Amino acid sequence: MNFLILGLPRSRTAWLANFLTYDGLFCYHEAINGCLNMDEYAEKVKGKGDSNTALALFDFEHMFPDAKIIVVDSSIDAAVTFGFEQGHDIREAMTIEKQRLDSIEIGRAHV
């Protein structure tokens, strides 16, 4: 994997995937979808990028030690509101994911 964009749901990760797909470079949005395991995911994104809202909950640093990481910093409000609109209370899950995103090694890009 060349690079990984991580963020909460509703933080424009799909837009970023489209923006960063150009000039022979491809960036997936949620490339893990459809993969049966992390090895399949790693093969799928080899030489590409992924903009993802769930991968922060996995040990991606171990799997992709050389990947450039960008963390989209946002509040949980938009994600929680979207969850409520879909009939789900996801505040606790988004709080956990936000803490994980905030803990990603200093030196990685936070935008």
Side-chain angles (χ1 to χ4, degrees), residues 44-63:
K44 182 178 182 178
V45 297
K46 189 180 290 184
K48 298 174 178 71
D50 188 22
S51 188
N52 202 298
T53 59
L55 202 62
L57 300 174
F58 294 88
D59 187 14
F60 67 88
E61 294 104 331
H62 176 74
M63 287 195 68

Side-chain angles (χ1 to χ4, degrees), residues 1-87:
M1 176 183 301
N2 287 342
F3 63 92
L4 178 60
I5 300 167
L6 299 171
L8 294 171
R10 314 308 295 171
S11 62
R12 306 298 183 246
T13 54
W15 184 89
L16 286 166
N18 287 318
F19 181 74
L20 293 171
T21 296
Y22 68 98
D23 196 28
L25 178 67
F26 186 78
C27 181
Y28 284 99
H29 179 248
E30 309 290 2
I32 199 165
N33 290 348
C35 295
L36 297 176
N37 55 53
M38 292 303 286
D39 290 332
E40 188 175 323
Y41 171 73
E43 186 63 32
K44 182 178 182 178
V45 297
K46 189 180 290 184
K48 298 174 178 71
D50 188 22
S51 188
N52 202 298
T53 59
L55 202 62
L57 300 174
F58 294 88
D59 187 14
F60 67 88
E61 294 104 331
H62 176 74
M63 287 195 68
F64 307 106
D66 298 325
K68 294 173 182 69
I69 308 295
I70 297 170
V71 176
V72 179
D73 190 17
S74 62
S75 77
I76 66 171
D77 296 338
V80 169
T81 298
F82 180 73
F84 281 137
E85 290 169 354
Q86 305 303 312

